[in-house]
Amino acid sequence: MARLDMYVQHLVKHRASSLLLTSGKPVTFRFPTGDRHSNSVVDHGDIARLVEEVGPRDALAALMRTGRTDFPYKTPEGLEVRVDVEAVAAGNWTVVIAAPTDAATSAASATRPTGGTGAATAPGSNGGSGAGTGTGAGAVPPGAGAEPAATATAAKVAVAKEPERPAPEIQMSPGEPALHRYLRLMVRAGASDLHLSSDRVAMVRLNGEIQPLESGTPPLSDAQLRELLMPIATPKAAAEFKASNDTDFAHTIPGVARFRCNYFMDLKGIGAAFRQIPFKILSPEVLGIPKQVLDLCWLTKGLVLVTGPTGSGKSTTLATLIDHVNAHRSDHIITIEDPIEFVHEPKKCLINQREVGTHTGGFKNALRAALREDPDIVLVGEMRDLETIAIAIETAETGHLVFGTLHTSSAIGTIDRIIDQFPADRQDQIRTMLSGSLKGVISQVLCKKKGGGRVAAYEVLLGNSAVSNLIREGKTFQLVSTMQTGKAQGMQTLAEHLVDLVKSGRVEPREAYMKATDKIAFNELLAKNNIKFDLNATE
């Protein structure tokens, strides 16, 4: 019996129009009179396994490629349903199971007694079920033809005793590298990163936390890891790893995902980290990018920086901004990346993506060359050194829109980092150039979201006359006040956005506190909103 069969049985039993499964949320029954929720929370792993167990191969390929798919499904009893799947984000899927035809539903219901008002039950994440009674969550509306309480209870017990089924084995193509099994498992779990280390079991980062990829598997030795890792390394990456014990490159599994790969050596032996880069670029609405930030995509010149610590989603945000330009403008975009992560297909724009070490010798070389390639927009994957930063600022000043990233944790820290890169005798000149060219700084962090998944918190500094004057005069410490008073223009501090996420119930106060860079300001805002929490309380 497939997992989906149990959900179809409950859908028919309660005569709902459809059933909604969302990662980390209760099962939702939809009726013409409104939604009813069971007490069962379904985790992402169960949803992914349910879809992979019954989804046709072409439908699963479409899901990995575009983030959406739908397909028909017939149960062993002959009930036909429609299944619609959307991968909203890594570790966050929704599945809508549309009710069978009226004829099929009536036939299936004819063998069951009706009358009374039973509890709405649904299989839970461990094969059990949750229930609600009366008019509370999970209740069946009066007149819906629910089963008598005794029958419903028996059904509930029967479902609860359903044994946990192992996830179906990953299907591998003949001759496919053995490492692909681990990468496919990572994608199926909805994890953002896969970590392989000598003498350790395979680990993944799921919803921001490190955990084993599979339970009960033995550690991988250095020799085993080398056999897994080296077959997918490019010749250049293999030579670089042999020479320096470090390398970065990108790898694609068609129909599954693209991966940013890093190989390294440590005390135990070889190790590797893989970051999942979905084929589907997320929309601004899904990421929660503020409208004022999206408006920066309409600039014809200037410098826009997306900053944050490693793993904060900078690449995802930049990809979304570039995709927005690609869909709404008719321009020439050049990206300079190390390695190329999100692949952009031309929509209204001409896009050239260049990889450092493969298509060009370095960021500064590619950035200089870009000025002779007639670009309108240039994306610099990482502004690593003084010369790259200087050329990026000059490019922004000469009539181009430049997007770039820095590993800084705040808008003020970003500006100070740029200026401090230069010798003292050049800093006044750079302040003047930056004050005129800087149009926006978006600093972000990822927070664990209640119920699973992650959500971004943004600090937004937008270039205006006040910001320009403070940068030119070297008074960047006053920019916090400018952001606080510039809310009408779309500016906000990180602390303000974190408190908004707490107030909306999306993030726990403790998690927001951990991600706040200015913890004093964050605590003051919590106090103003009468929000209290105990940092030392055990979770």
Side-chain angles (χ1 to χ4, degrees), residues 16 57 60 75 103 109 116 136 161 169 171 188 206 222 281 303 348 367 410 413 442 459 487 497 518 520 534:
R57 183 179 293 273
L60 295 177
T75 70
S109 302
K161 291 182 178 179
E169 183 54 48
Q171 298 298 313
R188 183 170 76 178
L206 181 61
D222 175 77
I281 297 174
L303 179 63
K348 294 183 69 175
L367 197 47
S410 68
I442 303 97
E459 178 165 274
K487 288 185 179 180
H497 195 197
D518 187 343
I520 295 175
D534 184 359

Side-chain angles (χ1 to χ4, degrees), residues 179-222:
L179 179 66
H180 282 192
R181 178 179 178 276
Y182 291 85
L183 295 173
R184 288 175 178 272
L185 281 170
M186 163 199 178
V187 172
R188 183 170 76 178
S192 60
D193 299 83
L194 168 68
H195 294 274
L196 300 176
S197 301
S198 297
D199 295 339
R200 297 286 188 274
V201 299
M203 307 289 285
V204 291
R205 185 178 296 277
L206 181 61
N207 297 334
E209 296 184 348
I210 295 291
Q211 60 187 57
L213 174 63
E214 298 178 280
S215 60
T217 56
L220 294 163
S221 68
D222 175 77

Side-chain angles (χ1 to χ4, degrees), residues 307-309 406-411 413-414 417 443-445 459 494 517:
T307 74
L406 280 171
H407 291 288
T408 48
S409 58
S410 68
T414 299
R417 170 76 65 83
S443 294
Q444 63 183 74
V445 294
E459 178 165 274
L494 182 62
T517 53

Side-chain angles (χ1 to χ4, degrees), residues 32-48:
T33 55
D35 292 351
R36 297 291 184 270
H37 308 287
S38 80
N39 294 332
S40 303
V41 174
V42 188
D43 66 33
H44 175 72
D46 281 338
I47 290 181

Side-chain angles (χ1 to χ4, degrees), residues 268-518:
K268 298 285 187 178
I270 194 171
F274 301 87
R275 168 68 52 83
Q276 181 189 164
I277 306 167
F279 292 129
K280 179 185 177 183
I281 297 174
L282 299 178
S283 69
E285 293 75 22
V286 169
L287 292 184
I289 296 176
K291 178 184 180 300
Q292 289 78 3
V293 171
L294 209 59
D295 288 344
L296 296 172
C297 294
W298 291 100
L299 293 170
T300 55
K301 67 176 183 178
L303 179 63
V304 176
L305 299 174
V306 178
T307 74
T310 301
S312 61
K314 298 186 296 296
S315 297
T316 302
T317 297
L318 268 179
T320 297
L321 295 179
I322 293 296
D323 187 64
H324 187 77
V325 173
N326 190 15
H328 294 89
R329 294 175 60 168
S330 299
D331 290 315
H332 182 199
I333 302 171
I334 295 176
T335 76
I336 307 164
E337 305 170 73
D338 183 20
I340 291 172
E341 297 185 333
F342 290 88
V343 176
H344 296 271
E345 297 297 334
K347 294 179 181 178
K348 294 183 69 175
C349 290
L350 168 65
I351 300 183
N352 295 118
Q353 293 186 258
R354 306 190 69 195
E355 184 169 286
V356 171
T358 302
H359 311 127
T360 180
F363 281 103
K364 60 185 178 183
N365 298 336
L367 197 47
R368 284 193 186 281
L371 295 176
R372 299 187 293 274
E373 294 160 3
D374 185 34
D376 298 289
I377 297 157
V378 180
L379 182 148
V380 186
E382 194 173 336
M383 294 167 62
R384 292 176 176 172
D385 53 57
L386 181 151
E387 193 169 359
T388 301
I389 292 171
I391 301 171
I393 295 174
E394 290 170 8
T395 304
E397 276 200 318
T398 55
H400 303 85
L401 178 57
V402 178
F403 290 95
T405 68
L406 280 171
H407 291 288
T408 48
S409 58
S410 68
I412 295 174
T414 299
I415 296 169
D416 290 339
R417 170 76 65 83
I418 290 174
I419 294 170
D420 289 343
Q421 286 272 348
F422 293 85
D425 60 347
R426 291 190 61 189
Q427 289 185 1
D428 286 342
Q429 177 194 7
I430 294 300
R431 284 194 188 95
T432 301
M433 294 175 65
L434 193 61
S435 68
S437 62
L438 187 65
K439 302 302 180 185
V441 181
I442 303 97
S443 294
Q444 63 183 74
V445 294
L446 287 180
C447 301
K448 287 184 286 187
K449 188 166 58 174
K450 287 183 180 178
R454 290 193 284 179
V455 61
Y458 299 99
E459 178 165 274
V460 180
L461 173 69
L462 301 175
N464 59 20
S465 58
V467 170
S468 295
N469 289 336
L470 291 174
I471 294 173
R472 188 181 303 110
E473 296 169 6
K475 299 178 180 179
T476 54
F477 60 91
Q478 294 183 17
L479 288 173
V480 172
S481 298
T482 304
M483 284 187 283
Q484 291 170 339
T485 57
K487 288 185 179 180
Q489 299 175 45
M491 296 195 224
Q492 64 186 14
T493 65
L494 182 62
E496 288 171 335
H497 195 197
L498 286 169
V499 170
D500 287 343
L501 292 174
V502 172
K503 287 167 61 179
S504 66
R506 301 176 72 188
V507 174
E508 294 285 357
R510 177 190 175 94
E511 171 68 9
Y513 176 85
M514 297 294 289
K515 295 301 172 66
T517 53
D518 187 343

Side-chain angles (χ1 to χ4, degrees), residues 145-157:
E147 300 180 65
T151 305
T153 301
K156 179 179 176 182
V157 171

